[in-house]
Amino acid sequence: MSPPVFRFAPSPNGRLHLGHAFSALLNEKMARATEGRFLLRIEDIDTIRCTPALTSLMLADLGWLGLQWEEPVLRQSANLGDYHAAQQTLRDRGLLYPCFCSRQDIARAVGDEASRDPEGQPLYPGTCRHMTKEDRSQRLARGDPAAWRIDMSRALAELPAHLTFSEESSGSAVNEIARPEGWGDVVLVRKDIGTSYHVAVVIDDTRQGVTHVVRGRDLFHATSIHRLLQHLLRLPVPRYFHHALINDEAGRKLSKSLGSRSLSDLRQEGVSATDVRKALGF
Ligand code: GLU
């Protein structure tokens, strides 16, 4: 049988903090414990916020922590074509539509009483879903910038009664029901970067043969979108483990000793990698 595959997938859009270190160390530890592989992926599709300097700093921080990942490291910015191909498949199947709305347009359309997605953003009211074909083609031909949203009710019509994923955060595997409907017509192709985290993550977990996705609890709800995409694109489904965030329970004690400083700050202040590992319980 092939070994389990774990990955740590940070976005170099800022400095790494203790929460990142915890996630990376946990992935590495779980890979070791299962004689699995530990991979690193740089999630730098947002070429505006993710800079080469931040990527270098991130790699230096992870090396300093003593993490050992397999080479080569996958960089998402080098694989944009694959995300575009997946998006095209969804478009060809009539599951995406272009949306020309600005944030303000949406805020104006939904008012104060908007239903919200799991991240607290107002659900898209579907304005551009109702556009005529002619208007759509005309605006696209004119080069009006568009995001592409999933037509959630169409996508839901392609799903089995219950779409589930295995979640191991409670110590044993539990079958969670994916609830993509809670996100409404979520954006799968951002206007500014031409793709999205959701598309890139499912394509790359497949490409890297990831069997266990171990990441923070903040991404638990996004897993419903990932599960939906895996179903629509016929991709394999890894197991999930959404760990507690370091700024909840565990973090309180920790912030007393190490504070909320970035790993590079801690490093410069002379804190050792062993201190950081110890403080995080590794
Ligand atoms: N790149 C994401 C982040 O830094 C994590 C993605 C994932 O683990 O699925 O928050």
Side-chain angles (χ1 to χ4, degrees):
M1 234 178 58
S2 3
V5 181
F6 293 79
R7 83 331 187 245
F8 177 55
S11 306
N13 53 16
R15 291 172 177 231
L16 293 185
H17 285 81
L18 290 168
H20 296 105
F22 178 80
S23 206
L25 289 165
L26 183 60
N27 269 285
E28 190 191 50
K29 183 177 170 183
M30 290 177 83
R32 285 235 174 96
T34 54
E35 291 180 28
R37 300 170 56 201
F38 174 56
L39 310 180
L40 179 63
R41 178 163 83 226
I42 299 179
E43 300 215 321
D44 56 354
I45 49 170
D46 188 339
T47 46
I48 306 152
R49 294 171 64 216
C50 300
T51 64
L54 284 170
T55 301
S56 305
L57 188 61
M58 196 184 80
L59 290 169
D61 285 343
L62 296 174
W64 169 76
L65 263 182
L67 287 157
Q68 288 181 321
W69 56 85
E70 276 182 29
E71 294 290 341
V73 171
L74 191 144
R75 286 174 195 246
Q76 291 191 323
S77 56
N79 293 296
L80 297 175
D82 295 331
Y83 315 137
H84 296 159
Q87 289 155 199
Q88 191 60 48
T89 305
L90 298 173
R91 269 168 73 168
D92 292 345
R93 283 162 54 191
L95 292 169
L96 303 187
Y97 65 88
C99 170
F100 304 93
C101 294
S102 64
R103 258 174 224 269
Q104 291 89 314
D105 293 334
I106 298 173
R108 224 174 295 125
V110 297
D112 294 337
E113 302 296 303
S115 313
R116 303 204 167 247
D117 70 20
E119 284 176 354
Q121 296 303 315
L123 287 186
Y124 183 63
T127 322
C128 290
R129 189 176 353 105
H130 304 301
M131 223 178 210
T132 62
K133 254 193 177 161
E134 293 70 34
D135 281 350
R136 220 172 247 174
S137 318
Q138 216 176 32
R139 293 200 63 174
L140 287 173
R142 207 161 68 188
D144 286 359
W148 289 74
R149 292 179 179 274
I150 192 156
D151 186 331
M152 188 55 82
S153 29
R154 276 201 191 181
L156 292 176
E158 297 201 12
L159 298 191
H162 287 305
L163 197 61
T164 59
F165 60 93
S166 165
E167 171 65 43
E168 301 188 29
S169 53
S170 55
S172 55
V174 171
N175 260 348
E176 288 282 350
I177 297 182
R179 303 188 189 282
E181 63 280 8
W183 290 92
D185 288 2
V186 67
V187 169
L188 291 187
V189 182
R190 278 168 47 179
K191 226 183 251 188
D192 53 351
I193 58 170
T195 185
S196 64
Y197 159 61
H198 300 305
V199 171
V201 78
V202 296
I203 295 296
D204 286 338
D205 282 335
T206 301
R207 184 207 312 274
Q208 293 189 294
V210 172
T211 57
H212 292 68
V213 171
V214 177
R215 60 187 178 193
R217 193 84 200 147
D218 51 333
L219 289 168
F220 175 79
H221 291 293
T223 308
S224 288
I225 306 173
H226 305 165
R227 198 52 203 89
L228 170 68
L229 289 175
Q230 286 154 354
H231 181 84
L232 296 173
L233 296 166
R234 318 246 181 286
L235 303 175
V237 185
R239 298 184 196 184
Y240 289 89
F241 178 167
H242 292 93
H243 60 73
L245 294 179
I246 221 55
N247 49 13
D248 333 322
E249 320 102 65
R252 260 171 236 140
K253 262 195 250 149
L254 198 68
S255 54
K256 273 199 199 138
S257 53
L258 297 178
S260 55
R261 300 185 306 274
S262 69
L263 293 183
S264 51
D265 284 346
L266 292 170
R267 186 147 61 100
Q268 270 172 13
E269 284 166 26
V271 175
S272 75
T274 313
D275 293 338
V276 172
R277 282 176 168 260
K278 264 204 202 129
L280 291 168
F282 292 91

